[in-house]
């Protein structure tokens, strides 16, 4: 029998693979393998931002068939749609969907060529299509919010039948775009493996390796900033806020910045200008499985983006038991309650961030209290909630009956 559920994305990520695998396991557990048969369609074999590589696609996706249209990601966003490559991807998607007509299709985003093709085919061939996304009103820095673009988006979203949103801000924005149509809106798309992240956060076997990588003495404390070195991640401002905080305190925690990107030299120059070479350590990406533990050992994980549709690193940190400092312009700020599991802040207010760093860096009791509440804040973004959301769609369109 042909698959009747299509899941389409730009490229492979371990997050997507975990979600598909979790669904497949639940389908088998409920004895619904004959009614629900999934298939994954990837535009490319890797994600454009992080270059994740899948060692064994069949295993990572729980045995769900995976089709890859291209070897590499080529930046197939909305603007390059009318290019030869955009048409090629759209055509490959068209042929693939036409030969394997699903009953339901889930697409990652609503404006990529493959998404639009699947959405339009759904209308023409009478199958249901839904969008998995995290767009918000506050995406203005990275995504155009002109009247003409918003009008075009409002027209585009009406192609689809339902939406799986990252959080409440995404729900509100989708409802705004969809207008009176009122499609099905489900929250909680940005789910990770909280159970595995909690175990990683508790795994002390990483401690010696992490401290050696971070160049820390035994007992030395630190703030943790894992990030791409790009403008919207706002790293120079974090460095300035840190300089202000540490200048007022003795034995202040260090700052560890882990990542890579085009602005690394700018970051290095700012550290040198502020004479912080002995207080701030720059390292490359930390192995993925060590991040929850590295965050848990820190005083707080920092996400200071001036614009971030979500910020999954916050899910990872909270699930691992870490306190967090989160920009109020990142979608994931809705996971954070001040003085409960962390703090939110205006990413353009250096002084406010400095005060928060100072308060956390000089109050171990506060840090312990924030850590104790971190994991509980992830209950609404659990695997169980995520699976129930998908089965709500399966039930709505009669795949389970």
């Amino acid at each position: 029998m042909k698959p009747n559920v299509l899941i389409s994305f730009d490229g492979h990520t371990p997050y997507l693979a975990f979600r598909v695998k979790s669904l497949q396991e639940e389908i088998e557990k409920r004895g619904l393998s004959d009614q629900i048969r999934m298939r994954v369609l990837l535009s490319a074999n890797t994600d454009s931002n992080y270059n994740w590589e899948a060692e064994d696609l069949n295993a990572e996706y729980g045995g769900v068939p995976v089709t890859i249209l291209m070897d590499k990601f080529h930046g197939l966003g909305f603007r390059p749609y009318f290019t030869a490559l955009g048409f090629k991807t759209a055509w490959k998607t068209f042929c693939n969907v036409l030969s394997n007509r699903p009953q339901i299709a889930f697409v990652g985003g609503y404006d990529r060529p493959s998404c639009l093709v699947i959405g339009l085919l759904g209308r023409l061939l009478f199958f249901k299509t839904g969008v998995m996304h995290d767009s918000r009103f506050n995406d203005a820095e990275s995504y155009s919010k002109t009247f003409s673009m918003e009008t075009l988006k409002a027209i585009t979203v009406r192609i689809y039948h339902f939406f799986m949103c990252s959080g409440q801000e995404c729900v509100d924005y989708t409802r705004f775009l969809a207008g009176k149509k009122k499609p099905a809106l489900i929250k909680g798309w940005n789910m990770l493996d909280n159970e595995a992240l909690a175990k990683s956060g508790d795994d002390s076997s990483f401690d010696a390796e992490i401290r050696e990588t971070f160049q820390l003495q035994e007992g030395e404390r630190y703030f943790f900033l894992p990030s791409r070195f790009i403008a919207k991640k706002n790293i120079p401002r974090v460095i300035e806020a840190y300089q202000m905080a540490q200048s007022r305190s003795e034995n202040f925690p260090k700052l560890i910045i882990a990542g890579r990107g085009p602005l690394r030299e700018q970051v290095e120059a700012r550290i040198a200008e502020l004479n912080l070479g002995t207080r701030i350590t720059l390292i490359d990406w930390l192995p993925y499985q060590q991040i929850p533990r590295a965050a848990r050992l820190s005083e707080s994980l920092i996400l200071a983006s001036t614009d971030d549709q979500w910020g999954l690193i916050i899910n990872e940190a909270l699930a691992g038991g870490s306190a967090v400092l989160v920009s109020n312009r990142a979608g994931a700020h809705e996971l954070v309650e001040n003085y409960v599991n962390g703090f939110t802040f205006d990413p353009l207010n250096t002084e406010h961030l400095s005060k928060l760093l100072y308060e956390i860096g000089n109050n171990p009791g506060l840090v312990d209290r924030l850590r104790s509440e971190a994991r509980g804040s992830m209950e609404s973004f659990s695997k169980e909630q995520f699976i129930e959301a998908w089965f709500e769609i399966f039930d709505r369109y009669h795949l389970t009956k």
Side-chain angles (χ1 to χ4, degrees), residues 30 229 268 271:
R30 298 189 186 191
F229 293 178
E268 291 173 340
I271 292 172

Side-chain angles (χ1 to χ4, degrees), residues 4 7-8 10 31 56 73 104 106 116 131 143 211 221 228 245 250 253 255 278 310 348 358 367 382 386-387:
N4 57 4
I7 304 172
S8 172
D10 272 344
D56 183 350
F73 182 90
I104 302 177
F106 297 80
L116 292 170
V131 176
Y143 302 90
R211 289 197 172 276
R221 298 176 300 139
R228 287 176 290 154
E250 294 183 7
L255 174 61
T278 61
W310 186 255
L348 301 182
Y358 181 83
V367 173
S382 67
F386 171 80
I387 287 173

Side-chain angles (χ1 to χ4, degrees), residues 13 54 58 70 91 105 143 166 206 257 292 315 368:
T13 75
N58 187 66
M70 296 182 298
W91 175 250
Y143 302 90
S166 58
F206 292 135
I257 304 176
N315 297 58
D368 290 341

Side-chain angles (χ1 to χ4, degrees), residues 352-365:
H352 183 209
L353 176 56
S354 175
K355 288 179 179 178
L356 292 175
L357 290 170
Y358 181 83
E359 182 170 4
I360 292 175
N362 288 284
N363 193 339

Side-chain angles (χ1 to χ4, degrees), residues 272-324:
E273 288 171 8
L274 296 175
N275 239 355
L276 292 172
T278 61
R279 304 299 305 156
I280 298 178
T281 301
L282 291 184
I283 65 169
D284 204 342
W285 287 119
L286 199 65
Y288 175 69
Q289 66 273 19
Q290 292 185 12
I291 288 178
R293 183 59 179 173
R296 177 74 185 278
L297 291 174
S298 73
E299 302 302 287
S300 175
L301 179 136
I302 304 169
L303 177 67
S305 304
T306 56
D307 175 36
D308 227 322
Q309 285 193 309
W310 186 255
L312 283 171
I313 193 68
I314 299 304
N315 297 58
E316 294 172 1
L318 290 173
S322 171
V324 292

Side-chain angles (χ1 to χ4, degrees), residues 10-14 16-17 42 44-47 52-54 57 60-61:
D10 272 344
H12 164 75
T13 75
L16 172 60
L42 301 178
N45 64 1
T46 185
D47 178 82
W52 300 109
E53 296 292 345
L57 280 174
E60 291 203 36
Y61 287 84

Side-chain angles (χ1 to χ4, degrees), residues 42 50 57 62 73 115 143 172 258 346 367 379 384 389:
L42 301 178
Y50 299 98
L57 280 174
F73 182 90
C115 297
Y143 302 90
D172 294 341
D346 179 352
V367 173
E379 290 180 0
E384 292 72 24

Side-chain angles (χ1 to χ4, degrees), residues 223 240-242 244-246 248 252 325 339 343 345 349-362 366:
F223 291 99
E240 293 164 12
Y242 175 80
M244 293 167 62
Q246 66 89 36
R248 299 165 51 205
F252 197 70
L325 276 171
Y339 287 98
F343 294 93
F345 61 92
N349 189 333
T350 309
E351 185 175 348
H352 183 209
L353 176 56
S354 175
K355 288 179 179 178
L356 292 175
L357 290 170
Y358 181 83
E359 182 170 4
I360 292 175
N362 288 284
L366 172 61

